[in-house]
Amino acid sequence: QLYAKALQKMNADAVIVQHAYKADNYRIAAAMFDEVGDYLDAKELAQRCRTLAEETKVDEKEAMYQRCVDRINDPSVFADADKLRKLNNQLALLGGYQDSEDIRRRCQSSLRKLELYQKIKVRSILGGLILIITLIVIGLYTGYIKYFAGVAMMKYGKYSQAEKVFRSMPGFRDSDEYLKPGILRNTF
C-alpha cells in the first residue's frame, strides 16, 4: 500500500503546476519509497524521485529566469519603481544563474536613476510652490498684487472698484495717473 501511495505521489506531477510543490512532492515520494525498502523497484524509484526533484528546481530557476527576461524587455517596468524592485528581488533569488547578475545590475542602475528622477521631480515641484508662495507674499507686502488687481478691474470695466484700489495706494507706480479725471475710463 505504501509503495502504491508513493507511486501515486511520484506521478502526481501531471496535476501540480508550481515547481516548488512538485519538488516537495518528489521528495516526499522518495522518502516513502525509502520507507518501503527493497520492495520491487522502490530503491530505484526513490533515486528517480530525488533526481526529478533536482530537475524541477532547475526548471523552476529557468522559468523564473525567463519571466525576468520577459519583464526586463517590457518598457513599462522601467517606468515603475515597484516593478523594478520586484524584478530586482527575483533576480537576487536566481543568484548567478545564466546572466541574471548582469540583468540585476542593469535593473539596479535603472532603479537608482528612476528614484533620482522622482526625487528631482518632487523637489522641483516643492521649489516651484515655494517660489510661487514667496512671490505672492512679496506681492502682498509690496502692493504689486493690489496694484495689478486694480489694473485688472479697470480692464474689465469695474471702474469704481479700481478707483478705490488706486486711492488706497497713493504714489505707488502710476496709480496717481489713473486717478486723474477721464484717465481711468479711457485707459482700456
Side-chain angles (χ1 to χ4, degrees), residues 22-75:
K22 277 185 184 182
D24 287 345
N25 208 46
Y26 287 133
R27 284 188 209 96
I28 292 169
M32 291 169 78
F33 281 124
D34 286 339
E35 199 173 318
V36 169
D38 289 337
Y39 184 75
L40 297 176
D41 57 349
K43 285 187 178 192
E44 291 85 18
L45 290 177
Q47 186 54 43
R48 176 74 181 136
C49 285
R50 286 185 190 86
T51 303
L52 287 171
E54 290 304 312
E55 288 174 0
T56 302
K57 283 174 58 178
V58 172
D59 290 347
E60 180 181 21
K61 269 194 171 186
E62 179 60 28
M64 185 184 287
Y65 172 78
Q66 287 304 320
R67 284 191 305 271
C68 289
V69 168
D70 290 344
R71 286 189 188 113
I72 205 81
N73 292 325
D74 180 1

Side-chain angles (χ1 to χ4, degrees), residues 65 68-69 72 78 87-88 91 97 99-109:
Y65 172 78
C68 289
V69 168
I72 205 81
F78 290 95
L87 178 60
N88 185 52
L91 288 165
Y97 187 77
D99 63 343
S100 61
E101 285 300 317
D102 293 335
I103 296 172
R104 186 169 183 229
R105 280 191 287 279
R106 180 177 163 205
C107 182
Q108 288 172 333
S109 173

Side-chain angles (χ1 to χ4, degrees), residues 127-144:
L129 287 173
I130 290 170
L131 179 64
I132 289 170
I133 290 169
T134 303
L135 290 174
I136 290 172
V137 169
I138 290 172
L140 288 171
Y141 181 73
T142 60
Y144 275 94

Side-chain angles (χ1 to χ4, degrees), residues 115-133:
E115 287 172 343
L116 178 64
Y117 171 75
Q118 288 174 340
K119 284 180 185 177
I120 290 171
K121 185 177 170 182
V122 167
R123 288 179 181 165
S124 297
I125 291 170
L126 288 175
L129 287 173
I130 290 170
L131 179 64
I132 289 170
I133 290 169

